[in-house]
Amino acid sequence: TSLAVGASCQFSITKFISGVASDPPHINVFTAKAEDDQKNEATDDDQATVKIIRPCIDQFGLTIGYEDLPETGANDYDYNDWVVDVEGDLAFEDPSSCNLQKIDLTIIPQARGAAYDHTFHLVFPAVPPAGVPKFQSNGTATLTYYDQNGVLIGSRTQVSAFDASKDNNFTIFEKTSNVLSVKSNTIQGGTKEDPKMTAKLSIVFDTPAPFKLIFEDLISPRGEGLFFDPHLDVINTGDTVNRGDFRLLVVPEAEYLWPEEKIAIYNVYSGVSNTLVFQTDWWLLPHNDCVYDDKPCVLP
């Protein structure tokens, strides 16, 4: 097109993009070229990026760390008294409907820095916090266990009814001391200990019903947005640590590197202050290697 001095023009294009959520982003590049009366040229370009996303989150990973000292006592904020990974797989009736048929949660213990013993539960409340999706159908829950070699411990398999109208409390590990030793996987240079058992909780629903997770539900540091309560009973003191407690720390995508024993978390990770105020995506920021990762511990 021909333009007068100081004039401008606009162009637009509509293009249909197809694919699946695992595809890389699709990038369209628009290039403009201008030429004056003396044949001098100028060019510029801009791009539009389209990423296909799932209408429902069907996989997620979390690392959950606990501080088990009483709220009224001293607190070192190392969050390594009990550390577990929770990996979730959700199966839907139709990928576009978000009608949930089945959920599988794999629970993998990672560290136990505590002298205290604990009982670890997953609780599915009948009335979840505001904004958190609710299970709308009854079903059947199966809790299975595997030894440190990944072999099924058949004698420990438990099958029970899942009642969506009630709180469903599943005791995953009766005693954390049966799973990992004291201060396991929290000392620099120590030998990594494999957990004596891992667990898998599967819930199959009688009637598929809408259940739509969003990523923001999974990244609240205290687990406020989780659809389950990762509940810890401290056997020695009778204390409990629940979803929303400042002694519970949830990190998405299982990226958490648990701090070394007695090293406060605010001395380890940038983005965490001594008042435990978290920056966005703090777990992805640099840390000081004061964690069980076979690197020297260097404090600021």
Side-chain angles (χ1 to χ4, degrees):
T1 186
S2 180
L3 296 175
V5 176
S8 64
C9 63
Q10 293 182 339
F11 298 91
S12 65
I13 182 174
T14 300
K15 182 175 177 61
F16 178 77
I17 304 297
S18 63
V20 297
S22 59
D23 290 343
H26 183 91
I27 301 175
N28 280 348
V29 179
F30 186 92
T31 302
K33 178 179 178 180
E35 182 181 88
D36 65 13
D37 293 340
Q38 284 76 43
K39 304 299 182 181
N40 298 310
E41 292 185 356
T43 61
D44 196 9
D45 60 58
D46 197 6
Q47 67 182 35
T49 301
V50 177
K51 180 172 177 56
I52 300 173
I53 62 173
R54 297 181 179 93
C56 321
I57 292 179
D58 56 6
Q59 288 184 320
F60 65 86
L62 304 171
T63 296
I64 307 175
Y66 296 81
E67 176 58 50
D68 67 7
L69 293 178
E71 295 184 36
T72 55
N75 199 310
D76 55 12
Y77 298 113
D78 54 14
Y79 289 94
N80 67 9
D81 291 329
W82 175 246
V83 181
V84 293
D85 286 347
V86 179
E87 299 174 353
D89 286 286
L90 286 72
F92 296 96
E93 182 180 37
D94 182 286
S96 63
S97 69
C98 295
N99 289 334
L100 185 62
Q101 289 183 315
K102 180 184 179 184
I103 182 168
D104 291 319
L105 297 178
T106 302
I107 302 98
I108 306 170
Q110 293 287 6
R112 177 172 168 257
Y116 291 157
D117 207 350
H118 324 90
T119 301
F120 180 64
H121 309 257
L122 292 183
V123 182
F124 299 80
V127 182
V132 176
K134 170 182 169 55
F135 294 106
Q136 301 181 41
S137 171
N138 298 333
T140 302
T142 303
L143 182 58
T144 53
Y145 293 88
Y146 302 84
D147 66 17
Q148 59 193 68
N149 297 314
V151 177
L152 177 69
I153 307 175
S155 60
R156 291 186 59 93
T157 298
Q158 304 169 24
V159 180
S160 59
F162 183 91
D163 189 339
S165 67
K166 299 179 180 179
D167 293 346
N168 293 267
N169 187 340
F170 298 96
T171 299
I172 307 300
F173 300 114
E174 295 178 3
K175 289 187 176 183
T176 58
S177 60
N178 292 335
V179 182
L180 288 169
S181 306
V182 173
K183 292 184 174 58
S184 56
N185 304 337
T186 63
I187 304 299
Q188 286 286 338
T191 302
K192 184 73 162 58
E193 179 182 348
D194 292 328
K196 295 180 178 64
M197 66 180 75
T198 61
K200 182 176 180 179
L201 177 63
S202 297
I203 304 172
V204 179
F205 297 96
D206 298 336
T207 304
F211 187 84
K212 191 169 185 178
L213 281 179
I214 60 174
F215 182 68
E216 286 71 20
D217 292 337
L218 302 174
I219 64 174
S220 49
R222 310 306 182 190
E224 299 92 332
L226 296 181
F227 60 87
F228 59 89
D229 182 0
H231 177 101
L232 192 73
D233 290 327
V234 185
I235 296 174
N236 304 66
T237 64
D239 198 4
T240 60
V241 182
N242 300 82
R243 173 178 53 189
D245 195 309
F246 79 95
R247 296 171 296 170
L248 180 151
L249 188 62
V250 176
V251 181
E253 305 305 334
E255 292 288 345
Y256 182 41
L257 297 175
W258 50 91
E260 188 176 1
E261 182 67 17
K262 296 183 179 179
I263 302 296
I265 191 170
Y266 52 79
N267 287 327
V268 177
Y269 289 89
S270 57
V272 182
S273 74
N274 59 4
T275 56
L276 298 185
V277 176
F278 296 87
Q279 297 179 15
T280 302
D281 295 344
W282 66 270
W283 62 92
L284 300 177
L285 300 173
H287 61 82
N288 298 316
D289 293 341
C290 290
V291 293
Y292 189 91
D293 56 4
D294 297 324
K295 298 178 182 179
C297 176
V298 180
L299 286 174

